[in-house]
Amino acid sequence: MSIQGYEEELRSERDYVAGLYARLDAERARVKDEYDTALGGTGGTPMERDVRVRTSAREVKRLDLGDNGLCFGRLDALSGEHSYIGRIGLFDEEDDYEPVLLDWRAPASRAFYVATAASPENMRRRRQFHTRGRQVVDFTDEVLGRPDGDERGDAALLAAVNAPRGDGMRDIVATIQSEQDEIIRLDHPGVLVIEGGPGTGKTVVALHRVAYLLYTQRERMERHGVLVVGPNPSFLHHISRVLPSLGESDVVFTTTGGLVPGLRATAVDTPEALRLKGSLKILEVLRAAVADRQRLPENPLPIELGGVTARIDAETAAWARDEARASGQPHNEARAVFTEIVTYVLTERAISRIGKGWLSRSDREAWERTRADLVKELSADAAFTAALDELWPVLTPRDLLGALLESPERLRAAGADEALRRADGSAWTVSDVPLLDELVDLLGADKSVDRAAERERKAAAEHAAAVLDGLVGRQDSMDDEDHLFATDLLFAEDLAERFVEHDTRSLVERAEADRDWTYRHVVVDEAQELSEMDWRVLMRRCPGRSFTVVGDLAQRRSEAGATAWGPMVEPYVPGRWVYRSLTVNYRTPAEIMGVAAAVLADFAPGVQPPESVRACGVAPWSRRVTEDGLAAAVEEFVRDEAQREGTCVVIGPPDVPGTVAVSETKGLEYDAVLVVEPERILADGPRGAAELYVALTRATQRLGVLHRGPLPEVLAGLTAVGSHPQR
């Protein structure tokens, strides 16, 4: 294309995109008016107005996405037709709703991502726009169907991967590659496992898959939302903008330490404790710990009843315990069975003594009347309640687990390993969370609390009904919109019930507060770190077993993590899980990946490293420093990088000032990375090599290494320098 032809095409494309923005603004203004009208509460029933408010609010949010990169490409078919691809879809209402902009998730947009020179998908050309704000700056064309065609669309892709990193992950709707698109659109109802080495984009692919599923299965998924589980809070912050930028906000982000409402555990157990807690064998320990709290009295417990003394002996408690356990109910709910048996025995014994000489068992009416009086007396008796609490206490997960972990005696009674003991049982760790969640089911609810909540709810409903009864009714002025009319509802009680039960919190707020909330889809990132117990928690949260699981077994550091995917997921979805791999590294330049690959080959010789799509032209370096010179060298690196555009991080052992631990950088990326004392990282346990591999592959442009001892042999590919390179 000549320069003149290019300029003419550019003006034409700018005009078209400007027209799209004009259409977007007009559509947004129209929908905003609808929203304001619905919010004003005129016309229709309250329920109908509520539906209109929600519908128009959702449409306003969808249209707001177009402000940033509304249109990013065009497809030219062999037939001569043009299709513009963008962040959302727009239609021409005057032309039978013909699309003027295709949503990137629409089936008709797929060729934009998968068409190649060898397989052009009936397309002649793919055009990608480079925009600044609402302005098209320039464009690049890729002619399809020719032997020398560019199969990856490298111009736009390389511009994206070479750009300096900001404060969070960006969406990739404009640069999705063919192998990524195949996974994003995969139609599989069960568990999809995506494995890929560093920089292959597995996280962003998983998030775009969520956006795609919400687009294609909106009605099925939107009422329950999506759960995204990541390795640490920094990672969650890093990815938190991607889904909102794609129009999806009904998503809960958490770590495994936040899967129990009201708890955000971040502390990490010792490797041995983590291994023990992560194994399914801990289930037997938990069950035994619950059973250990269902006690028999060492000596009979006296209870004053009806003027006589009755006793709860071991035989009575054993009968009650056996019946309660046989009921199959959780511990707290089975307490009612235990109480019923003990109450029966005590009242029988008391009646026999109270009525001796005048009350016959054959007089059932008198006998049961006396029993009813004694049962009422027992229900208010503090000594009886104390006895029940001693023999069959109401337990909470935190009370039981905390007491178990700090007591050698309780651990022995439950058949647990001494390695689980700690001084403060309630100093919660991440690996305690699945145990606490399991105990919710083993213990069950405290029925007395549930009954109190139900009484409070009914009282509130009755109060609301009384208030609304005074409002409902026809007024003198039939067009007075400030009053409720009898035609708006059938009964005040019905509206009161809605008033009390209507929850104004967002879906995210409700889901985070409700342990029993179930999601339609779950994304698990860095899934190789999850234990068997972690998977039990997550499967509980998604009965439909719809998961996107991403990870890299070579990067596993947890002693309780996965060594293979099948054993973790197959028990929950037999025959309903599929595996896909990503092989191209879009983040780590070839120079850095070469160094990291040597580390990978040393500890996982059978694993193939991902292929980098680019080189950065900057050699990774190493520098040996003295103990006194280490801090100054770190400061020098940070100072020099502060003068560049982009982000940087210093990774090293926890006791080195100015560094962050490898675990805090998992899933993250930085323009420049300085790894401090790699020899100590390697020496830190059996997974030290994997830790070093993770640290080296966080860099997108520049990598440096500072070492005090001899440089590990696996890092021989680094260029030795005398000071921090100035580039």
Side-chain angles (χ1 to χ4, degrees):
M1 183 184 298
S2 66
I3 295 177
Q4 181 179 356
Y6 175 85
E7 292 296 334
E8 290 176 356
E9 281 281 292
L10 181 58
R11 282 193 294 272
S12 175
E13 299 293 27
R14 283 173 173 169
D15 289 343
Y16 190 87
V17 173
L20 292 177
Y21 273 110
R23 189 182 296 272
L24 173 72
D25 291 339
E27 181 71 3
R28 187 157 47 191
R30 181 186 66 78
V31 174
K32 184 65 165 57
D33 286 343
E34 290 181 355
Y35 175 76
D36 291 340
T37 300
L39 201 61
T42 58
T45 67
M47 184 176 295
E48 290 170 340
R49 291 196 295 271
D50 183 62
V51 170
R52 289 201 300 272
V53 168
R54 292 177 182 271
T55 301
S56 55
R58 186 182 302 118
E59 184 65 3
V60 167
K61 184 174 67 174
R62 185 186 77 88
L63 294 171
D64 282 344
L65 295 176
D67 281 331
N68 180 25
L70 174 62
C71 177
F72 49 77
R74 189 182 97 179
L75 273 175
D76 295 354
L78 292 174
S79 63
E81 295 180 348
H82 302 324
S83 298
Y84 287 85
I85 315 298
R87 193 170 293 276
I88 63 173
L90 292 175
F91 302 88
D92 188 343
E93 297 181 12
E94 297 179 358
D95 188 14
D96 200 24
Y97 281 89
E98 280 295 309
V100 293
L101 181 66
L102 290 173
D103 190 298
W104 68 275
R105 296 165 289 193
S109 299
R110 189 169 186 269
F112 186 79
Y113 301 110
V114 302
T116 66
S119 179
E121 302 281 328
N122 293 318
M123 297 296 156
R124 182 174 61 88
R125 177 171 57 189
R126 171 169 45 222
R127 174 169 291 176
Q128 293 182 298
F129 300 134
H130 310 132
T131 61
R132 185 178 298 115
R134 292 190 168 200
Q135 179 77 14
V136 176
V137 177
D138 57 27
F139 65 81
T140 56
D141 281 346
E142 180 183 357
V143 178
L144 303 168
R146 296 181 178 180
D148 60 347
D150 184 350
E151 293 190 12
R152 284 184 183 161
D154 283 341
L157 172 64
L158 293 179
V161 298
N162 279 314
R165 266 47 190 173
D167 188 34
M169 181 178 283
R170 296 165 292 192
D171 67 60
I172 58 169
V173 290
T175 58
I176 292 171
Q177 301 301 290
S178 181
E179 75 167 359
Q180 296 173 329
D181 186 80
E182 179 186 351
I183 293 172
I184 289 170
R185 298 175 192 265
L186 185 64
D187 183 17
H188 179 71
V191 175
L192 167 62
V193 176
I194 307 169
E195 184 162 24
T200 52
K202 52 188 177 293
T203 297
V204 74
V205 165
L207 296 176
H208 282 67
R209 175 169 165 77
V210 168
Y212 175 76
L213 291 174
L214 285 166
Y215 176 80
T216 57
Q217 304 176 27
R218 175 77 58 187
E219 186 173 341
R220 186 182 75 85
M221 294 182 68
E222 68 177 352
R223 288 191 177 183
H224 289 258
V226 172
L227 175 66
V228 175
V229 180
N232 55 62
S234 298
F235 173 83
L236 295 179
H237 173 75
H238 179 63
I239 69 172
S240 62
R241 298 178 184 176
V242 174
L243 284 171
S245 76
L246 298 173
E248 309 303 343
S249 57
D250 291 339
V251 180
V252 174
F253 293 90
T254 188
T255 64
T256 54
L259 287 170
V260 170
L263 179 63
R264 287 292 183 271
T266 58
V268 179
D269 270 305
T270 64
E272 179 62 9
L274 192 153
R275 184 186 65 80
L276 292 168
K277 291 179 182 178
S279 169
L280 292 181
K281 295 177 182 178
I282 198 69
L283 292 173
E284 291 304 316
V285 171
L286 296 179
R287 296 185 186 111
V290 173
D292 183 53
R293 304 299 290 271
Q294 300 163 356
R295 313 301 296 271
L296 303 180
E298 295 182 5
N299 299 300
L301 302 176
I303 305 294
E304 297 299 323
L305 183 61
V308 300
T309 300
R311 288 177 172 78
I312 306 175
D313 53 29
E315 183 181 7
T316 299
W319 176 29
R321 184 177 66 177
D322 291 345
E323 291 294 326
R325 289 177 175 175
S327 72
Q329 299 180 74
H331 171 86
N332 289 334
E333 296 170 29
R335 174 178 161 120
V337 178
F338 182 87
T339 302
E340 182 181 6
I341 298 296
V342 173
T343 298
Y344 172 79
V345 172
L346 291 181
T347 53
E348 281 288 303
R349 290 174 177 173
I351 293 172
S352 296
R353 296 179 60 187
I354 295 170
K356 190 173 184 179
W358 63 270
L359 182 59
S360 170
R361 186 178 291 274
S362 61
D363 187 354
R364 299 305 305 171
E365 183 176 349
W367 192 280
E368 292 304 326
R369 188 167 55 249
T370 304
R371 183 198 302 281
D373 292 338
L374 294 178
V375 168
K376 185 176 181 181
E377 182 180 339
L378 274 179
S379 66
D381 187 272
F384 180 62
T385 301
L388 292 177
D389 290 342
E390 178 183 341
L391 302 177
W392 198 284
V394 173
L395 298 170
T396 68
R398 298 191 194 191
D399 288 342
L400 184 139
L401 186 60
L404 172 69
L405 295 178
E406 66 186 18
S407 169
E409 293 78 15
R410 291 192 188 280
L411 286 170
R412 281 195 296 271
D417 194 294
E418 177 68 16
L420 294 178
R421 189 168 72 88
R422 63 180 180 230
D424 182 358
S426 59
W428 305 118
T429 66
V430 173
S431 49
D432 287 330
V433 170
L435 278 58
L436 291 168
D437 191 72
E438 191 72 34
L439 285 169
V440 172
D441 286 348
L442 289 176
L443 296 177
D446 179 356
K447 289 298 185 181
S448 64
V449 173
D450 288 349
R451 287 191 293 270
E454 178 65 14
R455 287 194 298 271
E456 186 175 326
R457 190 196 67 81
K458 286 185 176 180
E462 291 170 0
H463 173 73
V467 173
L468 290 166
D469 272 333
L471 296 175
V472 175
R474 291 188 177 275
Q475 306 296 316
D476 292 337
S477 175
M478 294 299 294
D479 59 353
D480 187 349
E481 294 292 339
D482 293 331
H483 292 79
L484 293 169
F485 296 100
T487 54
D488 287 334
L489 63 157
L490 295 176
F491 302 103
E493 290 84 355
D494 180 56
L495 184 54
E497 189 75 8
R498 293 181 188 173
F499 173 78
V500 172
E501 293 188 351
H502 182 61
D503 197 331
T504 59
R505 295 174 299 171
S506 68
L507 181 145
V508 170
E509 290 171 328
R510 287 182 284 131
E512 287 181 323
D514 185 358
R515 181 263 177 184
D516 294 322
W517 186 276
T518 57
Y519 298 89
R520 283 290 183 263
H521 192 76
V522 176
V523 175
V524 186
D525 209 317
E526 299 292 342
Q528 72 277 356
E529 307 297 345
L530 269 63
S531 69
E532 292 177 310
M533 288 297 294
D534 290 326
W535 282 109
R536 278 180 67 87
V537 179
L538 293 177
M539 291 296 173
R540 214 176 267 132
R541 301 294 190 272
C542 187
R545 304 293 194 259
S546 179
F547 280 73
T548 300
V549 177
V550 295
D552 180 10
L553 295 177
Q555 296 185 54
R556 177 182 65 86
R557 68 182 297 271
S558 170
E559 290 295 311
T563 56
W565 298 114
M568 289 298 188
V569 299
E570 177 70 20
Y572 300 101
V573 283
R576 285 186 56 226
W577 71 279
V578 297
Y579 174 89
R580 294 292 185 271
S581 63
L582 292 169
T583 60
V584 179
N585 189 332
Y586 301 101
R587 176 178 71 213
T588 317
E591 295 90 340
I592 296 174
M593 198 61 216
V595 175
V599 177
L600 178 66
D602 187 64
F603 77 91
V607 178
Q608 184 69 25
E611 179 187 358
S612 296
V613 300
R614 67 188 176 100
C616 65
V618 179
W621 54 269
S622 67
R623 175 185 170 194
R624 189 165 187 173
V625 295
T626 64
E627 183 171 352
D628 293 339
L630 179 61
V634 170
E635 291 175 4
E636 179 186 3
F637 170 83
V638 174
R639 183 174 61 250
D640 289 346
E641 288 299 332
Q643 299 173 19
R644 303 174 186 261
E645 186 179 6
T647 60
C648 71
V649 69
V650 181
I651 304 174
D655 60 345
V656 177
T659 67
V660 299
V662 177
S663 60
E664 292 301 310
T665 66
K666 296 209 74 170
L668 305 181
E669 55 185 33
Y670 306 86
D671 291 274
V673 171
L674 180 66
V675 178
V676 177
E677 297 198 288
E679 63 274 24
R680 290 182 57 193
I681 296 176
L682 275 173
D684 187 19
R687 300 300 299 171
E691 292 274 83
L692 181 58
Y693 179 61
V694 171
L696 296 172
T697 53
R698 299 308 93 195
T700 66
Q701 303 291 343
R702 300 175 297 281
L703 171 67
V705 171
L706 295 178
H707 59 105
R708 292 189 296 179
L711 187 69
E713 187 177 341
V714 292
L715 297 180
L718 293 168
T719 300
V721 298
S723 62
H724 177 216
Q726 301 296 314
R727 291 186 174 90

